């Protein structure tokens, strides 16, 4: 009986959003807000409200921030490769 109670339990919002950042990073190249919202299964209003509460920013700002982080990481790797190749 207790098992069926857990099967019908809705996923925890914090769990959904903690996994969402990983999804965004993996799919950052061709991602939009509607795709992210679809992953959560939330209505548009609930998604924006809960997203803002969890991340402290709106979805577009988070996407832009992650893109910038990834670009910076790639540029750092390129600079390091150039520095190493100059030593050789």
């Amino acid at each position: 009986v207790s098992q069926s109670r857990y099967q019908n339990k809705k996923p925890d919002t914090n769990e959904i959003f903690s996994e969402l950042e990983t999804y965004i990073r993996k799919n950052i190249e061709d991602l939009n807000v509607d795709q992210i919202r679809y992953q959560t299964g939330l209505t548009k209003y609930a998604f924006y409200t809960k997203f803002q509460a969890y991340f402290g920013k709106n979805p577009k700002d988070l996407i832009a921030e992650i893109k910038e982080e990834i670009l910076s990481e790639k540029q750092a790797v390129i600079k390091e490769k150039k520095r190493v190749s100059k030593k050789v």
Side-chain angles (χ1 to χ4, degrees):
V1 174
S2 64
Q3 211 174 22
S4 65
R5 185 176 77 193
Y6 291 111
Q7 288 174 346
N8 294 330
K9 183 181 174 192
K10 291 184 177 181
D12 179 35
T13 302
N14 287 336
E15 185 179 323
I16 291 169
F17 283 106
S18 67
E19 295 171 2
L20 199 57
E21 188 169 357
T22 302
Y23 172 80
I24 293 169
R25 287 185 177 277
K26 286 182 179 179
N27 298 284
I28 196 73
E29 294 302 321
D30 55 346
L31 190 66
N32 65 45
V33 176
D34 286 332
Q35 291 168 318
I36 297 169
R37 185 174 62 83
Y38 179 77
Q39 289 298 312
T40 66
L42 297 171
T43 65
K44 192 172 189 174
Y45 176 79
F47 170 74
Y48 278 96
T49 303
K50 292 178 181 190
F51 191 101
Q52 180 75 35
Y54 186 84
F55 288 107
K57 57 191 75 173
N58 69 43
K60 284 187 177 184
D61 289 343
L62 182 65
I63 291 170
E65 185 178 294
I66 292 173
K67 280 184 178 181
E68 191 174 308
E69 284 175 17
I70 290 171
L71 182 60
S72 294
E73 290 167 7
K74 286 179 180 179
Q75 288 174 342
V77 168
I78 291 168
K79 285 181 183 178
E80 181 63 21
K81 285 181 180 179
K82 285 181 181 178
R83 189 183 64 78
V84 168
S85 67
K86 285 182 182 180
K87 287 184 176 181
V88 176

